[in-house]
Amino acid sequence: MKKPSQKKQPAIRYTIVPKDLAGHLFNVTVTVASPDSDGQEFALPAWIPGSYMIREFARNIVRIRAEAADGTVQLTKLDKHSWRAAPCAGPLTLHYEVYAWDLSVRAAHLDQTHGFFNGTSVFLRVVGQEDVLHGVDIQRPADPAAKAWRVATAMPEAGAKRYGFGLYAAANYDELIDHPVEMGDFALASFTAHGIEHDIVITGRVPNLDMARLQADLKAICETQIAFFEPQTKRAPLERYVFMTMAVGDGYGGLEHRASTALICARADLPSTATPRGAEPGEGYLRFLGLCSHEYFHTWNVKRIKPAVFAPYDLQTENYTPLLWLFEGFTSYYDDLMLVRAGIIGEATYFKLLAKTVGGVLRGSGRLKQSVSDSSFDAWSKYYRQDENSPNAIISYYTKGSLIALAFDLTIRAKTGGAKSLDDVMLALWTRYGRDFYNGAGRGVTDAEVEALFDEVSGLKLKSLFERWVRGTDDLPLAKLFAPLGVKLAEERKSGKPSLDAGIGRDALGAKLTQVHEGGAAHVAGLSAHDVIIAIDGLRVNGNPSNVDTLLARYRVGDTVTVHAFRRDELMAFDVTLQGDRVPAITLSPAVAGRKSVTIKRPSAV
């Protein structure tokens, strides 16, 4: 990534001011030195790369106006996210307010505690001038509550000091919107991974944050991933990287960018100095490190190795690709694997994480109806718009995609005697399609090229596996694939615990069914999602979802109970024959005690 020259003046210049912290408003201006003589068009993206759903960010523009040196310029709205200014002599300036009250990694948020924005939420695109130098003046809010605020972003400084307010610059619009900005009184630490500065920014109250442990663990992860993609040079494809984390009471999520990631997590998941240093991270901290590993792996896989339809993005409409199983699923495979290779967790913990993923995939009948290729293509309308029937209708290209990566890895290792692995495929994707992407020589990869590359790198004919695993709905033969490598996968489909086989949530009247799994006891009896159970065999069900399990614990599998439930405002009765808990119980373990699985290691040929 080239750093824009500080001497060259931006042709497009934005100013963003946190205007009203309590009202959650950013004031934004964009000035165009040479507007289109036929009338300059502006557009705000409808979605953000990495989150495949039309979000219509323009709905948060509260008011907008245009002006030039000789006065007000007429502004005509073209559609829900586009405007055209009347022809005028430059410079042309748009003034607009953006409402920012979305506490997520996808949009913008502003209050008295901090400010955060993605460029897709606040920076109108100057249509036809996307490839010129863009400057952004990030100004300090006037509110006294923001006196101690600093700025965190991977966007190159163009006059501003590191972590300071002032002028930043991006080579083009695509880069501009790929550098989110956090401002506030945040905790800050840095480490170097193979010569590259990495910053950790934590916003939110986190008592006794063990930043030293976080630095050490993230350094190990980052160095492992850099060396994975560049084993000879250990050269990262960036000049600096920023982990931006918002710590809240309960939250989880991340979004990748070319030189940073925006994360949200539960503060309890961050390491504490009050906790004795153990051999491995606890469950919450491990979840956070897995998230960091996932988003960092995206630095290569999706930010530089891209589907052809993402090169470039069309941010005004859906960009369909059948390849998200590769870009998200394979990233999900490597995120935990990198924790093992970095020495943060051992094989036993890794096997538990893997077993949980296997069980989760086998849980829903949707896996038998939708392929990961179709799941990828339909992400816009199905995966990102899930409802109560989703487990019965769709499969996650994240989770099954990660298991497909595992299955390909095990297959390639076994059939080549350990000489090749999925690592080799990822390196070929990187060197051929990703390494030079931002240097002007890179391009996106098609699904046909992906399949051909697997055959070329492995020396195998894998078409039948693509048909069954990627474009088909076959369950993966993981137990069979693990066996030659000294790992035993055991599965117990049923237990003696009586169950309705439904998701259960809280309701003021009782327990609301959030999901009803196909073929389960509730489904067979006629219960539906959103029904509110108020009694089981005449005993009241309270608002605590666990109360259902408590009542059912007095019965045996095969017993029939009478369930009273409200559907809308009508009371209904159902005779439910209880089934055993159908959540798959998966275990993974070395078939020979003390033997280490080769899946953890890079093959010696690499």
Side-chain angles (χ1 to χ4, degrees):
M1 180 178 62
K2 272 190 172 183
K3 188 172 182 179
S5 168
Q6 295 186 16
K7 295 180 180 179
K8 187 176 179 181
Q9 291 300 310
I12 309 296
R13 181 160 177 152
Y14 300 84
T15 299
I16 184 164
V17 184
K19 173 193 174 185
D20 183 348
L21 307 190
H24 323 300
L25 292 175
F26 282 108
N27 246 9
V28 187
T29 65
V30 52
T31 299
V32 185
S34 302
D36 190 325
S37 59
D38 293 327
Q40 182 60 58
E41 187 175 335
F42 299 85
L44 198 67
W47 63 283
I48 182 170
S51 184
Y52 306 107
M53 182 172 135
I54 297 297
R55 298 188 183 276
E56 298 173 344
F57 296 120
R59 63 192 170 87
N60 291 314
I61 293 181
V62 177
R63 52 184 173 178
I64 184 170
R65 62 183 176 86
E67 66 178 14
D70 55 355
T72 301
V73 176
Q74 182 179 352
L75 200 60
T76 302
K77 195 163 189 179
L78 305 177
D79 56 33
K80 58 188 174 183
H81 44 226
S82 303
W83 292 260
R84 179 182 289 119
C88 66
L92 168 68
T93 300
L94 258 61
H95 302 262
Y96 54 101
E97 290 179 347
V98 178
Y99 181 67
W101 195 233
D102 182 340
L103 188 58
S104 75
V105 298
R106 299 177 298 267
H109 189 262
L110 178 66
D111 65 10
Q112 296 91 332
T113 66
H114 87 126
F116 171 80
F117 62 83
N118 284 289
T120 44
S121 288
V122 297
F123 296 139
L124 282 163
R125 175 170 59 94
V126 182
V127 177
Q129 300 194 42
E130 294 89 349
D131 293 330
V132 302
L133 184 64
H134 288 56
V136 181
D137 184 5
I138 304 173
Q139 295 190 3
R140 182 186 298 276
D143 195 308
K147 184 178 180 180
W149 282 19
R150 294 180 289 177
V151 172
T153 181
M155 193 183 307
E157 300 90 359
K161 294 181 179 179
R162 182 68 52 88
Y163 315 122
F165 290 89
L167 187 63
Y168 293 78
N172 49 51
Y173 185 79
D174 182 68
E175 182 184 345
L176 173 73
I177 60 171
D178 215 3
H179 290 304
V181 173
E182 171 70 23
M183 56 181 81
D185 186 11
F186 44 74
L188 174 66
S190 299
F191 62 88
T192 300
H194 289 311
I196 300 298
E197 179 187 343
H198 291 66
D199 294 342
I200 305 170
V201 172
I202 308 287
T203 302
R205 297 179 185 177
V206 186
N208 297 321
L209 174 64
D210 191 345
M211 188 67 90
R213 180 169 190 182
L214 188 54
Q215 285 173 279
D217 288 340
L218 288 182
K219 177 183 176 72
I221 293 168
C222 294
E223 289 192 335
T224 301
Q225 293 194 21
I226 293 169
F228 173 82
F229 282 101
E230 295 289 357
Q232 303 302 321
T233 65
K234 296 181 175 58
R235 182 180 301 134
L238 40 85
E239 297 178 359
R240 175 172 164 256
Y241 191 89
V242 183
F243 290 93
M244 283 177 271
T245 303
M246 181 71 194
V248 295
D250 185 22
Y252 177 86
L255 192 62
E256 68 275 2
H257 297 277
R258 69 178 67 188
S260 62
T261 180
L263 308 166
I264 188 167
C265 75
R267 63 176 56 87
D269 289 351
L270 294 170
S272 169
T273 55
T275 303
R277 291 281 181 96
E280 290 189 356
E283 182 180 350
Y285 183 39
L286 180 56
R287 180 169 51 247
F288 179 71
L289 290 178
L291 176 64
C292 292
S293 180
H294 182 98
E295 303 305 337
Y296 194 70
F297 198 86
H298 274 315
T299 303
W300 294 267
N301 194 35
V302 94
K303 293 315 299 183
R304 287 163 176 84
I305 312 167
K306 292 176 181 279
V309 296
F310 288 0
Y313 297 108
D314 180 350
L315 294 174
Q316 307 311 129
T317 189
E318 295 90 342
N319 292 189
Y320 296 102
T321 173
L323 287 174
L324 295 182
W325 60 269
L326 168 66
F327 291 98
E328 291 294 354
F330 279 33
T331 299
S332 296
Y333 172 58
Y334 277 104
D335 56 21
D336 286 338
L337 191 55
M338 289 295 166
L339 301 184
V340 190
R341 293 184 179 179
I344 292 172
I345 61 173
E347 183 178 272
T349 300
Y350 175 63
F351 279 169
K352 287 180 182 178
L353 294 171
L354 199 54
K356 184 178 180 181
T357 301
V358 175
V361 169
L362 293 175
R363 181 67 182 87
S365 60
R367 76 186 196 283
L368 304 174
K369 302 169 187 175
Q370 186 188 48
S371 69
V372 290
S373 176
D374 288 342
S375 176
S376 300
F377 196 88
D378 292 337
W380 303 88
S381 58
K382 292 187 177 182
Y383 186 79
Y384 271 87
R385 294 183 181 274
Q386 293 190 37
D387 59 24
E388 65 281 349
N389 194 49
S390 291
N392 303 322
I394 70 171
I395 187 65
S396 166
Y397 51 79
Y398 282 87
T399 54
K400 189 172 182 183
S402 72
L403 297 185
I404 288 172
L406 170 64
F408 273 125
D409 200 2
L410 295 176
T411 299
I412 295 170
R413 288 172 186 266
K415 290 184 179 294
T416 63
K420 296 288 183 179
S421 76
L422 190 65
D423 292 4
D424 298 272
V425 176
M426 294 306 301
L427 290 182
L429 282 168
W430 167 244
T431 56
R432 195 168 302 181
Y433 296 100
R435 183 184 282 160
D436 296 321
F437 186 83
Y438 288 122
N439 296 331
R443 65 177 181 84
V445 61
T446 67
D447 48 334
E449 289 170 329
V450 166
E451 189 169 341
L453 193 67
F454 268 74
D455 286 357
E456 176 190 332
V457 172
S458 68
L460 306 171
K461 300 296 183 184
L462 300 172
K463 182 176 181 179
S464 65
L465 300 187
F466 274 84
E467 289 293 339
R468 283 155 40 203
W469 298 348
V470 176
R471 291 183 287 275
T473 58
D474 287 10
D475 280 336
L476 302 167
L478 294 178
K480 181 180 178 181
L481 293 173
F482 266 127
L485 301 177
V487 178
K488 181 181 179 181
L489 186 152
E491 175 184 344
E492 177 59 52
R493 290 293 295 183
K494 294 185 178 181
S495 73
K497 180 182 175 183
S499 170
L500 296 178
D501 199 11
I504 300 175
R506 294 180 180 273
D507 188 87
L509 295 177
K512 177 179 282 189
L513 299 184
T514 57
Q515 297 170 333
V516 172
H517 297 118
E518 186 175 32
H523 173 216
V524 172
L527 284 156
S528 299
H530 307 309
D531 288 350
V532 178
I533 298 176
I534 61 170
I536 296 175
D537 269 357
L539 295 177
R540 179 178 175 239
V541 173
N542 63 33
N544 189 340
S546 65
N547 181 235
V548 173
D549 290 334
T550 300
L551 293 174
L552 293 182
R554 302 194 65 84
Y555 298 87
R556 294 183 297 270
V557 172
D559 287 349
T560 297
V561 297
T562 299
V563 172
H564 283 86
F566 276 107
R567 180 169 298 170
R568 298 179 296 276
D569 58 350
E570 298 179 20
L571 183 63
M572 305 175 72
F574 302 87
D575 290 328
V576 180
T577 301
L578 299 174
Q579 297 179 356
D581 189 349
R582 299 194 307 161
V583 177
I586 305 295
T587 59
L588 280 165
S589 58
V592 179
R595 179 176 176 181
K596 195 160 190 174
S597 166
V598 297
T599 59
I600 291 173
K601 300 177 182 177
R602 183 194 296 276
S604 57
V606 177

